Amino acid sequence: MNSEAGFWWGLVVATLSGSVLAADPVRDADAEMFPAGVAYDAAIPTPEAFLGRPLGAAPVRHHELVDYITTIANMSDRLKLEIAGYTHERRPILFIIATSPGNHARLDEIRTQHNALTEPASGQEVSDSMPVVTWLNYGVHGAEASGMDASLPIVYHLAAAQGTRIENELANSVVLVTAVFNPDGHAQRVAWLDAYGSQVPNADPQHAEHDMHWQFARTNHYWFDLNRQWISVTQPESRAWMSKWYAWRPNVSVDFHEMGPNSTYYFHPGVPARTNPIIPAAAESLTAASVRFSEEFLDAEGKLYYHAEGFDTYFLGKGSGLPFVNGGIGILYEAAAARGIELQTPLGLRTYRENIRKHFRASLGMIRGALALRQQLLDYQKDFYDSALTEAAGDTVKAYVFATPGDDSRMYHFLDLLTWHRIQVYDLARDITVNGRAFAAGEAKIVPMGQPQYRMIRVIFERFTEFADPTFYDVSTWTYPLAYDLDYEALSGRNFQESLLAEQSAVAMPAAAAPDGPDYAYAFAWSDYYAPRALNRVLSAGLMARGALQPFSVRTSQGDMSFDRGTIVVPFDRQEKNPDEIKAIMESVAANDGVTVHSLTSGQSTIGTAGVNVGGRSFAELQQVKVLLIIGRDTDLYNAGEIWHLLDYRMQMAVSLHDRDRLDGIDWKQYTHLVFPGGEYENYMPDYVDRIRQWVAEGGTIIGIRQGAYWVRDNVLDYVEPVEGEALVPDEDLETGTGHDDLLDEEAIETERYDYADKQDIEAADLIRGAIFSGDLDITHPLGFGYSDRNIALHKNLSDIMERPVNPFATVISYQTPPVLSGFASQENQAAIEGTAALIAERKGSGSVILFADDPNFRATWFGTNKLFLNALFYSKAFQAPAE
Ligand SMILES: [Zn+2]
């Protein structure tokens, strides 16, 4: 019991006794949570008894969930409770291992033998005494709260059910329960439901209870969709549960969700034509067989359900995707949401309790389904890894070699990603050149394909350019070396020898040695991923810093050195701190940001009078930035959250978040940068747009991203759209006066007609659901500083076109021909996009306008394009408008 019970008790009594509400067949049908005929240990409290209310009468708060599961874990010799990790908001993520007491006594041995199936070299065979490992995860999307609440009855059942069936299940299974994946999002959801909760259940869809802005609760603290984080693992939540997942290598992983209310009940298998080709064909029949107990349960109750429609297993970075490329199967369950305690829908009343019960019973069904397939699943797991070596031997690619010149931090993050997924990486033993690209021993790393995680290497490294079905539930590609902007090449059999592998690579955040000096000034390169964090550290400490607009060569304590554009110089001249204090700050940069700081002994160029001097005009004074990031209901919170996360979490920079509809009357002078992320902008016509324009004219930088870029372009940049059609008409036609008429006729003739059955495919083909495009980056422009290669890969999921502006120096990135490196975009979209602008930088008055056609910070995974965004903060005024 707890102090909230009183408030809800009225509701509970009303609901159960029917004194307020008329009896309803939906409520009646779901009254009995637990399966008939199962006896439960009376010593273990039911969720109802512990909470003081029935499940579904009110949402379960995280502390209640923690208290309940901790309590019964302490009472049961079948359960072992661990804390997998903590969320951004410091909530624990619970991990429960349920199996027989006999298995608990030899749990390490069971886990070791099970994992040995994934290592062909171990010689481990499948034996009759090996349990199947079943993983049940609840609540990756915090808004889909019935999944969370279903974790209580399942843990209760595992602890308290009596009889031969449960004893057999626990003797032959290890059931792993994660409750819950995303406690922070779930807490937002529960706070909302409780805030608008009422004594009398209100099923009116227009009641505030049912109208939460879903993104706030679907996501974690920084608004990341954690069910897109199974490969990227950039968030503490995904790292917590993924560490347990890889520790156990489950045979079956089940993921419980809610979808829109006007639906029924979905579970895998997904759309067959959209299954990722890396997944072995045998997975499909195992998937279909594993869910048959759920089908039987729903059939017996006369409840509607479906599979093989709408959802797929193409994108592998989700809970029902990654297991398929790690020797297991992944099953997605989706209940039609009640969005609160009860909801009236066109398909009738939906209740929270109904969804908890369905997910709970489906969980029981999956434990039974996995056990029924124990032998097949374990054999499949072993075969998966044995065949990985066979397939690797037949692959024309034998290894990938890669490097991040001038950026050890980005290398660290990529190595972390690979080793997280149990991929073996080696230092390159000697210098090699592949396809004209040189890789240096001591810098480059190499991943041989001939290892158990062969398929994961393909998942991470490969590009996808051929598609059976151009419909995608999520992105159509995620090639990580492109996202990390690696120099990389595939090695064929001709180029690869085992002798290229030196030691296995160490994975550690680089720590630079303390700088020499103090001498004349300090300098650090801009190429390191954390150089912007270092610069912010310097500026925040009150130091002045200069950014190099041209390459320069100077004398340092370690000899003559050349520095690229973007290099930061911290002089001693006119600083308010003395050289020793400055040195202490630079030591902190080296220690905390892993950035190598050089001590300059002179400001004079070492290449003669034509060279650039440190005190000259080829440097820009850089200012501390104060960012106002626009958020709100109509903005894309994923997009905004990525920026918030990049600045606050990675770069340790303060950023102010402000609602888009409440900008009127803010103190504009406080901010140097205003960022409009993607979102819905069609009806956004604020009366303070003139104030924004004035702020830019006076020196502010406005950054627009995705739809925000078009809004900024049209409202702040005084952009004039090319007159449509005119360019299509030859000049001579215009002169004869017939051009426009001809054009109109042509348009009329081109009106198309299709069969309705083709609607979905035709519309899907027009979308860019997430593809990787090739850009040409002007690395001489301040927004291109820190890059040494003009070729840059860009994530893109908008098909809108950003025309190149009239200013010939303003297109910092244009899309190349052919534009697509990986993923799906129709030929029409590709033709329309090539040559257009991906990044535009214009001066306006004393300020700047910077437009990103797409998202450079996508899912915290695009380490390779983050610097473009950071340049738009620190170097936004280091370039000039064209001469009049
Ligand atoms: Zn979901």
Side-chain angles (χ1 to χ4, degrees):
M1 291 273 185
N2 63 57
S3 57
E4 286 153 26
F7 170 69
W8 287 103
W9 195 244
L11 164 64
V12 170
V13 172
T15 306
L16 295 187
S17 70
S19 64
V20 173
L21 293 161
D24 183 286
V26 172
R27 294 190 196 106
D28 293 348
D30 297 306
E32 197 49 64
M33 179 66 61
F34 295 95
V38 178
Y40 288 91
D41 180 351
I44 295 179
T46 64
E48 279 88 346
F50 190 86
L51 297 168
R53 60 177 190 265
L55 287 164
V60 175
R61 288 183 164 262
H62 188 66
H63 72 86
E64 292 177 319
L65 180 142
V66 172
D67 287 352
Y68 178 66
I69 290 178
T70 306
T71 300
I72 64 167
N74 286 333
M75 298 174 78
S76 170
D77 56 2
R78 296 170 176 174
L79 304 185
K80 179 166 181 258
L81 175 64
E82 297 175 0
I83 292 176
Y86 290 85
T87 68
H88 281 295
E89 295 172 11
R90 307 171 305 284
R91 292 186 177 87
I93 297 172
L94 301 189
F95 178 68
I96 301 109
I97 303 167
T99 192
S100 67
N103 285 342
H104 272 301
R106 57 179 194 101
L107 200 61
D108 284 343
E109 180 195 324
I110 288 173
R111 194 173 71 83
T112 304
Q113 285 184 355
H114 181 81
N115 280 327
L117 294 177
T118 70
E119 295 155 14
S122 70
Q124 178 71 47
E125 297 293 334
V126 175
S127 76
D128 289 343
S129 67
M130 282 180 127
V132 69
V133 179
T134 304
W135 167 283
L136 305 172
N137 49 276
Y138 300 97
V140 68
H141 292 148
E144 299 159 18
S146 61
M148 267 69 81
D149 291 14
S151 69
L152 276 71
I154 195 71
V155 174
Y156 170 72
H157 180 94
L158 291 166
Q162 303 293 298
T164 52
R165 167 173 278 176
I166 185 72
E167 280 174 12
N168 178 43
E169 285 166 356
L170 291 171
N172 293 294
S173 310
V174 175
V175 180
L176 308 171
V177 180
T178 321
V180 308
F181 260 35
N182 178 11
D184 292 352
H186 174 241
Q188 291 262 355
R189 174 62 166 173
V190 171
W192 183 274
L193 292 187
D194 274 346
Y196 292 96
S198 40
Q199 293 284 327
V200 181
N202 189 341
D204 175 6
Q206 293 169 91
H207 179 41
E209 177 188 349
H210 311 300
D211 187 33
M212 186 183 185
H213 184 22
W214 58 273
Q215 269 196 317
F216 280 105
R218 177 184 179 87
T219 53
N220 74 345
H221 175 78
Y222 289 104
W223 305 324
F224 282 87
D225 184 337
L226 293 176
N227 202 30
R228 305 294 179 268
Q229 283 287 329
W230 280 72
I231 303 174
S232 297
V233 286
T234 68
Q235 301 300 303
E237 294 88 356
S238 53
R239 294 177 83 86
W241 29 263
M242 286 295 292
S243 68
K244 296 297 180 189
W245 192 87
Y246 267 120
W248 275 98
R249 303 289 190 105
N251 298 98
V252 177
S253 301
V254 198
D255 204 24
F256 292 95
H257 292 252
E258 292 175 10
M259 56 186 162
N262 300 341
S263 192
T264 62
Y265 196 66
Y266 169 87
F267 43 96
H268 268 4
V271 181
R274 283 156 47 187
T275 298
N276 192 292
I278 296 176
I279 298 173
E284 185 147 323
S285 56
L286 279 173
T287 301
S290 76
V291 298
R292 70 184 169 89
F293 292 98
S294 292
E295 292 164 342
E296 281 176 15
F297 163 68
L298 294 161
D299 283 341
E301 297 222 335
K303 288 189 168 152
L304 295 173
Y305 64 92
Y306 66 105
H307 32 64
E309 278 181 66
F311 299 93
D312 62 41
T313 38
Y314 179 79
F315 173 57
L316 297 167
K318 56 190 171 116
S320 56
L322 193 85
F324 282 108
V325 281
N326 277 279
I329 60 173
I331 313 290
L332 171 70
Y333 276 84
E334 296 270 359
R339 298 228 167 109
I341 305 307
E342 294 190 356
L343 184 71
Q344 201 60 52
T345 80
L347 305 177
L349 185 70
R350 291 253 166 245
T351 74
Y352 194 41
R353 186 174 174 89
E354 171 188 1
N355 286 340
I356 296 168
R357 184 169 173 275
K358 273 187 193 154
H359 278 343
F360 163 54
R361 295 296 186 90
S363 303
L364 293 181
M366 289 311 302
I367 294 170
R368 291 177 64 190
L371 184 55
L373 298 169
R374 187 192 69 86
Q375 181 82 37
Q376 287 108 299
L377 286 164
L378 292 169
D379 286 344
Y380 173 78
Q381 187 171 30
K382 180 176 163 50
D383 289 348
F384 181 95
Y385 286 99
D386 289 348
S387 66
L389 296 186
T390 322
E391 284 193 21
D395 198 322
T396 53
V397 174
K398 294 301 172 205
Y400 286 99
V401 61
F402 55 92
T404 55
D407 189 354
D408 292 342
S409 299
R410 204 152 31 91
M411 177 60 91
Y412 157 70
H413 282 291
F414 190 67
L415 294 179
D416 175 63
L417 176 83
L418 295 177
T419 52
W420 189 268
H421 293 291
R422 308 305 194 257
I423 293 168
Q424 293 151 22
V425 194
Y426 297 84
D427 294 344
L428 184 66
R430 58 177 188 271
D431 295 356
I432 56 170
T433 299
V434 188
N435 297 334
R437 205 197 290 259
F439 293 93
E443 281 181 18
K445 311 292 176 186
I446 183 166
V447 171
M449 300 299 271
Q451 54 176 301
Q453 283 298 65
Y454 163 74
R455 292 188 182 90
M456 267 315 286
I457 298 170
R458 292 188 58 196
V459 167
I460 286 173
F461 278 85
E462 279 189 8
R463 302 185 195 185
F464 296 99
T465 49
E466 284 173 26
F467 303 94
D469 181 343
T471 307
F472 303 93
Y473 182 75
D474 197 78
V475 293
S476 67
T477 183
W478 50 86
T479 311
Y480 280 83
L482 297 176
Y484 280 65
D485 192 30
L486 305 184
D487 286 2
Y488 81 110
E489 292 291 341
L491 267 62
S492 65
R494 193 160 40 84
N495 292 323
F496 177 71
Q497 297 111 31
E498 292 282 336
S499 62
L500 290 174
L501 312 181
E503 298 295 304
Q504 281 213 13
S505 301
V507 184
M509 176 68 188
D516 297 335
D519 293 311
Y520 173 82
Y522 288 108
F524 58 88
W526 194 241
S527 53
D528 193 277
Y529 184 77
Y530 288 109
R533 186 166 87 187
L535 173 59
N536 184 62
R537 194 181 298 279
V538 166
L539 296 171
S540 302
L543 293 180
M544 291 188 292
R546 292 158 71 75
L549 304 177
Q550 297 295 337
F552 65 98
S553 300
V554 284
R555 195 154 300 147
T556 77
S557 61
Q558 307 284 318
D560 291 357
M561 289 190 70
S562 295
F563 294 91
D564 274 336
R565 291 184 179 89
T567 297
I568 304 301
V569 171
V570 180
F572 294 154
D573 191 19
R574 293 176 188 275
Q575 300 279 18
E576 287 180 2
K577 291 187 162 42
N578 68 43
D580 286 325
E581 290 169 326
I582 295 172
K583 185 184 184 197
I585 294 164
M586 303 317 290
E587 283 171 350
S588 162
V589 161
N592 295 302
D593 304 314
V595 171
T596 301
V597 179
H598 305 276
S599 183
L600 309 190
T601 56
S602 164
Q604 189 186 320
S605 172
T606 54
I607 58 170
T609 51
V612 169
N613 294 312
V614 168
R617 292 184 175 185
S618 295
F619 283 80
E621 293 294 336
L622 301 176
Q623 308 294 330
Q624 194 174 3
V625 301
K626 184 83 199 293
V627 177
L628 187 74
L629 172 62
I630 303 302
I631 59 165
R633 266 204 180 230
D634 289 328
T635 54
D636 179 340
L637 287 187
Y638 295 141
N639 201 175
E642 289 155 0
I643 297 166
W644 183 19
H645 175 265
L646 175 69
L647 299 185
D648 182 49
Y649 188 78
R650 288 222 183 114
M651 297 296 152
Q652 296 171 14
M653 291 167 57
V655 50
S656 297
L657 277 52
H658 200 90
D659 196 291
R660 197 180 73 177
D661 297 324
R662 301 174 65 190
L663 284 170
D664 215 1
I666 66 165
D667 179 10
W668 290 98
K669 286 191 294 294
Q670 274 202 51
Y671 305 105
T672 58
H673 290 71
L674 182 58
V675 183
F676 282 87
E680 175 58 62
Y681 280 84
E682 251 162 47
N683 298 312
Y684 182 53
M685 285 171 281
D687 49 15
Y688 44 79
V689 71
D690 285 341
R691 186 66 191 85
I692 295 176
R693 291 166 61 94
Q694 182 193 341
W695 173 82
V696 172
E698 290 170 359
T701 294
I702 188 165
I703 300 172
I705 298 176
R706 306 182 71 238
Q707 295 93 342
Y710 297 95
W711 185 84
V712 169
R713 182 189 70 176
D714 296 345
N715 289 279
V716 182
L717 195 57
D718 296 326
Y719 170 77
V720 183
E721 206 166 339
V723 178
E724 206 169 327
E726 246 167 42
L728 299 174
V729 183
D731 284 344
E732 52 269 33
D733 283 356
L734 282 177
E735 281 162 19
T736 62
T738 59
H740 280 93
D741 291 340
D742 287 349
L743 191 70
L744 288 174
D745 287 342
E746 218 168 299
E747 275 179 356
I749 291 161
E750 279 176 7
T751 300
E752 281 143 336
R753 180 171 178 251
Y754 302 123
D755 282 356
Y756 186 71
D758 297 330
K759 180 172 183 289
Q760 207 174 351
D761 287 347
I762 288 169
E763 289 176 353
D766 195 42
L767 294 174
I768 298 175
R769 288 286 284 164
I772 300 176
F773 278 60
S774 164
D776 172 54
L777 168 64
D778 176 3
I779 57 175
T780 72
H781 192 288
L783 263 66
F785 285 178
Y787 294 89
S788 54
D789 183 350
R790 288 187 72 101
N791 292 304
I792 187 158
L794 304 162
H795 176 80
K796 185 161 188 61
N797 58 14
L798 271 192
S799 53
D800 303 53
I801 305 299
M802 202 152 74
E803 301 288 353
R804 292 207 305 262
V806 174
N807 172 3
F809 307 107
T811 302
V812 181
I813 302 177
S814 70
Y815 291 108
Q816 308 209 69
T817 306
V820 171
L821 292 170
S822 185
F824 177 78
S826 70
Q827 291 304 320
E828 292 77 10
N829 277 334
Q830 293 200 42
I833 287 167
E834 60 187 28
T836 63
L839 173 58
I840 290 172
E842 297 266 23
R843 296 303 305 264
K844 185 167 170 60
S846 300
S848 286
V849 179
I850 294 168
L851 309 174
F852 287 90
D854 234 298
D855 178 4
N857 306 313
F858 187 63
R859 292 183 180 169
T861 301
W862 277 73
F863 283 85
T865 47
N866 283 151
K867 184 153 282 149
L868 297 171
F869 181 79
L870 293 161
N871 284 343
L873 300 184
F874 289 106
Y875 276 103
S876 66
K877 296 204 291 181
F879 60 95
Q880 305 302 323
E884 293 284 312

